[in-house]
Amino acid sequence: MDPFASPHNLDRELHSLLAQASSNLCDWFAESGSQAPIPDLFDLPEVFPAKEGVSNNVLLSELQLLMNGSYRPSHPGSLAHLDPPPLSASIVGELICAGLNNNLLAEELSPSLSSLERKLCKWFCHRLGLGDLSGGVAASGGSLSNLMALVMARNIAGLENDPSAVFFASEDCHVSFSKALKIMGLKKESLQKVPTDENGKLDISYLSSNLKKIQSEGKKCFAIVATAGTTVRGAIDPLSGIAQFCQKENIWLHVDGAIGGIYGLSKITSEIVNGLGSADSITINPQKLLGIAKTSSLLLVADKDHLSSTFSTGLPYAEPITGNDFHRGELGIQGTRSAESLKLWIGLRQLGEEGIEKILLESIQRRCYLESIIDLSKFKIISGPLHLLAITPINFTASQASDWSVKTRKTLLANKFMLSRPMYGDRYYLKAVMGNPNTKSNHLKTLANLINHSII
Ligand SMILES: *Cc1c(COP(=O)(O)O)cnc(C)c1O
């Protein structure tokens, strides 16, 4: 048994392994609805390689154990996080991507796929309102896109060697910015958190005084981060107002649109993220709502030269590319990386404009519907214009809310609904993300009923 496919004739062994594995995967999907979002118990296969390699049949049965122990994003009750089921074309994209095993590091290792990524990034830029100089690069997740954006902003501001340089973001900004601090060699104080208003949006009235304050301490600001879709409630910071402020003060605006940026793709929903096009850089995560198989994130930049001027080092072991473009490995932190844009491209082609719009609109409709059937005499709901909402009982102490959240999450899991339990402000909430197209109104009715009866 040769573990590598023959380059000379149809490799029957690969063919049958793929066919069987695909068939098992289809079965896994087919049974997901009758299972639960997460399994109670599971067995792991043998983890380490044995002395001799095992047969394909053994591989498949071991694989099955892992599949049985997996989270099931397509279960209609899987509503805890920003992890929807994958588009079927996107699954194929991932498979083919692995088979091609091209490398986005250098053009010569991925001729068509480097081009595809360049064009796809440009398409996203135009859709979101960035101008003609724009461009972008794919990254393995939004945390990495955000990190690259900050590194770039700091570099462009000429503050890469200034340990006291700061950036602003709202107090509801994503944890990836705290992580970025550690990687960038910055202290905690370099992330200046701006208070949010009662809707969870960055309160713009603080920006001017907060900037003056750090300037009076002799510090410089290299970026303001606006969040388009906060992680707990999907709030959208006032993008246009922040952009105006950034322009006036000549400060880089990064929009973390890991959740909300995708709504900029459709004319019907783009109003929600109005102002996005004024950003210097945008993080967008098609893995979070469109169903592109993980990971799929893009960092889009208004002036694509900023990517190369920040990250390029020269790539002496690869052939130079014609024109004055850069190898994709010179546009970001990652070197070798897989052609993640393949599954993004094929997913978007499968959906078409109409399919994209349908996903975006229906996600919001599900959130509105659930919101409309939660008993507001018992619960407070926090949400924004997107597809997320979080619920906590009214008139509870923080400790009572905590007990309620633990108990109710358990009850919901027993009924095959998985919600998450974020801490927000001083208390716990149960959070539901309406990105699962398999969740229908009857499921939401059952869910609301369970929640409404969780307190008497
Ligand atoms: C998920 C998320 C990120 C990080 O994305 P990963 O792909 O998980 O690294 C950043 N910002 C926001 C607002 C997010 O919700």
Side-chain angles (χ1 to χ4, degrees):
M1 179 170 82
D2 192 337
F4 294 97
S6 165
H8 301 299
N9 40 48
L10 177 69
D11 194 306
R12 303 219 168 268
E13 206 153 346
L14 172 64
H15 199 272
S16 89
L17 182 59
L18 285 178
Q20 194 55 53
S22 305
S23 163
N24 293 352
L25 182 63
C26 292
D27 289 342
W28 182 80
F29 275 106
E31 73 187 18
S32 278
S34 64
Q35 301 288 321
I38 40 172
D40 290 331
L41 297 167
F42 58 86
D43 293 319
L44 275 186
E46 284 295 331
V47 174
F48 308 115
K51 184 156 190 307
E52 278 184 22
V54 300
S55 69
N56 286 350
N57 279 340
V58 173
L59 289 182
L60 289 166
S61 63
E62 293 189 340
L63 196 50
Q64 192 64 47
L65 291 178
L66 288 180
M67 292 161 71
N68 295 346
S70 293
Y71 166 65
R72 293 178 184 270
S74 69
H75 188 285
S78 290
L79 303 169
H81 298 284
L82 294 137
D83 290 66
L87 293 166
S88 33
S90 185
I91 301 171
V92 174
E94 182 79 326
L95 174 69
I96 301 302
C97 184
L100 300 177
N101 207 22
N102 275 215
N103 189 342
L104 266 280
L105 172 69
E107 198 94 1
E108 68 199 48
L109 290 171
S110 53
S112 60
L113 295 166
S114 280
S115 247
L116 183 78
E117 182 179 292
R118 187 176 295 122
K119 294 208 154 139
L120 205 51
C121 286
K122 192 88 189 178
W123 180 80
F124 270 91
C125 286
H126 279 154
R127 270 305 162 95
L128 302 187
L130 298 180
D132 289 340
L133 301 177
S134 60
V137 67
S140 298
S143 301
L144 191 51
S145 297
N146 283 340
L147 171 63
M148 296 196 298
L150 288 184
V151 170
M152 180 168 43
R154 184 173 68 168
N155 194 67
I156 298 304
L159 296 175
E160 65 271 31
N161 296 316
D162 181 348
S164 70
V166 306
F167 67 100
F168 290 100
S170 96
E171 58 186 342
D172 282 3
C173 74
H174 190 256
V175 290
S176 53
F177 293 105
S178 301
K179 206 185 268 181
L181 285 177
K182 305 184 194 208
I183 302 168
M184 294 169 75
L186 293 172
K187 295 200 192 72
K188 250 174 118 175
E189 305 80 70
S190 282
L191 168 46
Q192 291 273 328
K193 294 218 171 144
V194 183
T196 51
D197 65 16
E198 71 281 6
N199 296 314
K201 304 185 208 179
L202 184 147
D203 187 338
I204 202 163
S205 65
Y206 285 90
L207 278 182
S208 180
S209 53
N210 285 17
L211 181 64
K212 287 209 179 85
K213 178 164 179 291
I214 63 123
Q215 284 169 341
S216 73
E217 295 163 357
K219 296 175 184 164
K220 290 178 179 146
C221 172
F222 63 88
I224 296 180
V225 173
T227 307
T230 55
T231 309
V232 174
R233 60 195 292 181
I236 311 274
D237 287 345
L239 303 180
S240 299
I242 299 174
Q244 269 170 23
F245 182 80
C246 285
Q247 258 150 28
K248 185 165 72 79
E249 300 291 341
N250 194 24
I251 296 173
W252 185 282
L253 170 60
H254 175 64
V255 177
D256 179 5
I259 299 177
I262 208 79
Y263 289 91
L265 290 186
S266 150
K267 278 202 188 72
I268 302 183
T269 50
S270 64
E271 192 58 33
I272 298 174
V273 287
N274 202 12
L276 198 54
S278 310
D280 292 291
S281 56
I282 302 171
T283 291
I284 185 168
N285 267 22
Q287 70 193 15
K288 279 196 168 164
L289 177 58
L290 281 190
I292 308 302
K294 282 183 265 299
T295 51
S296 180
S297 175
L298 303 175
L299 173 62
L300 307 172
V301 187
D303 182 346
K304 70 174 169 25
D305 290 347
H306 289 328
L307 284 172
S308 49
S309 68
T310 303
F311 294 108
S312 86
T313 52
L315 208 55
Y317 32 80
E319 281 302 307
I321 13 180
T322 45
N324 50 5
D325 237 322
F326 284 84
H327 289 293
R328 313 286 305 158
E330 294 210 74
L331 302 180
I333 291 174
Q334 288 174 281
T336 290
R337 68 192 161 84
S338 78
E340 294 186 356
S341 336
L342 201 165
K343 61 201 173 192
L344 173 57
W345 160 78
I346 201 171
L348 295 175
R349 291 288 297 163
Q350 181 181 42
L351 288 173
E353 301 272 6
E354 290 174 5
I356 295 169
E357 208 155 271
K358 185 164 184 282
I359 290 180
L360 299 175
L361 287 175
E362 289 184 357
S363 70
I364 296 174
Q365 281 159 8
R366 283 192 294 273
R367 190 263 304 157
C368 291
Y369 181 62
L370 180 60
E371 214 167 326
S372 75
I373 54 177
I374 294 289
D375 185 347
L376 293 179
S377 71
K378 295 177 177 174
F379 299 97
K380 169 188 168 193
I381 299 178
I382 53 173
S383 66
L386 305 184
H387 65 307
L388 314 81
L389 82 175
I391 303 168
T392 198
I394 49 176
N395 305 327
F396 271 32
T397 64
S399 137
Q400 286 171 320
S402 171
D403 293 345
W404 168 84
S405 69
V406 172
K407 198 178 107 240
T408 308
R409 181 174 140 108
K410 239 185 233 159
T411 309
L412 293 179
L413 274 175
N415 287 277
K416 301 187 175 186
F417 286 100
M418 183 176 165
L419 269 57
S420 55
R421 210 169 60 80
M423 175 83 173
Y424 184 79
D426 70 340
R427 63 191 53 230
Y428 279 99
Y429 285 71
L430 286 178
K431 167 181 149 187
V433 182
M434 293 293 132
N436 184 344
N438 297 326
T439 312
K440 307 295 178 201
S441 54
N442 61 315
H443 301 119
L444 295 179
K445 272 184 200 142
T446 310
L447 172 62
N449 211 20
L450 287 163
I451 293 173
N452 289 337
H453 287 93
S454 65
I455 43 182
I456 311 131

